[in-house]
Amino acid sequence: MRAGRVPLALAVLLCALASSPAHAQEPDAPSEETQDTAAPDGGAADAGAPQPADTPSDPLGELPGRRLNLAVLGNPPFHLSRGGEPSGLSVDVWHALAARLEVDYALTVVPNAGVAIDGVADGTYDGAIGPISITSERAQRVDFTQPYHDATLAILTLPGSSGAWERIEPFLTKAFFGALALLLLVLTLVGALMWVVERKANDGFPKAPLAGVGVGIWLALVTMTTVGYGDKAPITPAGRLLTGVWMVLSMLTVSSLTAGIATALTLSQLDRAAIETAGELAGRPVATLEGTTAAALARRNDANIIAVDDLQEGIDRLVDERVDAVVYDRPVLQYHLRQNEDLGLALSAHEYDPQGYGFAFPLGSSLAHQVNVELLALEESGQLEAIYAGLLQPLVLDRLELSALLEREELDVDLM
């Protein structure tokens, strides 16, 4: 029995030693290998752990190696479609920027700024290119670049009726009456001087001051108009000298007066907009694109908004007199009028809501900053101005050709 118990006691003792705290490894103590790979903040690094789903991606940080998917939008001259390839001022500026950034991209046409902003905000697009107005509301959802173009809003309407009053009104201005009063004052002054130097030697000038000055004014007037009836004429050397000086001065006076009258006549012949101010939009049917700053302007002025899919539809409704006005960005409306002068539409002189156009990128993307840097470089080098000038030819260069020209700095305003 004793011989059989010894092995059993030895086994129990060995088990106890094996489970002793002195030989147990602390579960919380990092091993040498773990310490070498620990994160700087004390947490263990896990290279295989997936990133959180809500971590914002940085398009530029993933380049090169990925093609940017960009939304493009707008109307001429900012967005054109020639041969199926997007072009226009906004697109040409982006082509130049992309060439400097050395990024690859694809452009997807979207109907309006609202769709573009939504797509950039939810990750559908890596950015948006076009005449996108920079507003505080939009800036809460996307990151904007600095403006590459400044614009305002305007009202496009049919021309208003031009009655007799509208024809006369341009003459009834302070400037016109001021010029007329100045002319009468100068004639009176010249007539008085004529009488002073001629009254003693010239029987044609009455001795009475009032009658004599009247004759002097008549002489100054016929001299100025180069009529010269000959019924009155200076005979003294001083009178002839004064008349000669007045002849020269009157040539300048008549030229200025003629220019002023011609300007007033031109203004009276111009087509005037039936709706001149935003306050006149109240209660009227007004075409505009929903989700734009133009729609916000129309809504603030209590207009009856008729939502259209694009600017052309709005202008078609205006021509057919189904709406009273179209509210949209002024440079776009100006461009459309230049291209379609036969429509006979009128653009109001008033401008509203100054705004800048910028490109939009996801919140937190460093691409917006890089674009800002290159945009400043384009402006400083004069290439941005050259792109604007090139569009007005109207010549829109092919994307690859434009990039090559910009790289060689051969694009010049003289292309016009």
Side-chain angles (χ1 to χ4, degrees), residues 8-332:
L8 179 60
L10 183 58
V12 172
L13 179 59
L14 291 175
C15 290
L17 291 175
S19 60
S20 171
H23 297 276
Q25 184 174 350
E26 293 290 341
D28 294 334
S31 65
E32 258 183 61
E33 184 179 356
T34 306
Q35 289 178 351
D36 290 340
T37 58
D41 59 355
D46 188 355
Q51 295 296 324
D54 58 351
T55 300
S57 61
D58 183 351
L60 189 63
E62 300 173 10
L63 295 174
R66 188 170 73 82
R67 196 180 197 194
L68 291 176
N69 181 21
L70 303 174
V72 61
L73 66 143
N75 292 281
F78 295 94
H79 175 217
L80 305 168
S81 182
R82 296 185 176 180
E85 179 74 12
S87 58
L89 196 151
S90 298
V91 181
D92 288 352
V93 170
W94 171 252
H95 289 339
L97 293 169
R100 300 177 71 96
L101 291 168
E102 298 182 354
V103 297
D104 189 20
Y105 58 93
L107 299 177
T108 302
V109 179
V110 296
N112 53 56
V115 174
I117 295 296
D118 290 342
V120 174
D122 64 22
T124 302
Y125 303 110
D126 297 314
I129 307 302
I132 308 173
S133 300
I134 302 173
T135 66
S136 58
E137 180 181 357
R138 291 174 177 175
Q140 294 177 2
R141 305 180 60 202
V142 297
D143 281 344
F144 279 105
T145 64
Q146 67 175 5
Y148 66 90
H149 190 82
D150 295 321
T152 56
L153 299 177
I155 303 170
L156 183 68
T157 68
L158 295 170
S161 59
S162 298
W165 172 252
E166 284 75 16
R167 300 297 185 186
I168 298 173
E169 188 179 8
F171 293 95
L172 306 181
T173 62
K174 291 182 179 180
F176 181 81
F177 284 114
L180 184 60
L182 180 61
L183 176 61
L184 293 176
L185 178 62
V186 172
L187 287 173
T188 302
L189 178 61
V190 173
L193 290 175
M194 285 286 188
W195 175 74
V196 169
V197 298
E198 292 287 325
R199 73 183 190 279
K200 294 181 179 180
N202 195 333
D203 294 337
F205 286 82
K207 301 297 186 287
L210 187 60
V213 171
V215 171
I217 292 175
W218 171 254
L219 177 59
L221 183 60
V222 296
T223 301
M224 182 185 73
T225 57
T226 67
V227 174
Y229 288 110
D231 57 338
K232 306 293 179 185
I235 60 174
T236 65
R240 289 178 177 178
L241 177 62
L242 177 61
T243 303
V245 172
W246 173 240
M247 286 179 181
V248 175
L249 294 178
S250 63
M251 292 174 60
L252 302 176
T253 303
V254 171
S255 298
S256 300
L257 184 63
T258 302
I261 293 175
T263 300
L265 287 172
T266 301
L267 291 174
S268 69
Q269 298 296 325
L270 292 177
D271 289 333
R272 305 182 63 182
I275 299 177
E276 283 288 346
T277 63
E280 299 176 46
L281 297 175
R284 295 179 183 241
V286 175
T288 189
L289 278 67
E290 279 292 1
T292 63
T293 53
L297 173 65
R299 190 170 288 108
R300 286 201 311 269
N301 288 276
D302 300 322
N304 178 19
I305 296 178
I306 307 298
V308 293
D309 294 331
D310 52 46
L311 178 62
Q312 187 59 54
E313 180 186 349
I315 292 178
D316 291 342
R317 286 176 175 267
L318 178 61
V319 172
D320 295 340
E321 299 186 15
R322 288 179 288 165
V323 297
D324 291 343
V326 175
V327 179
Y328 205 66
D329 297 5
R330 188 175 190 85
V332 175

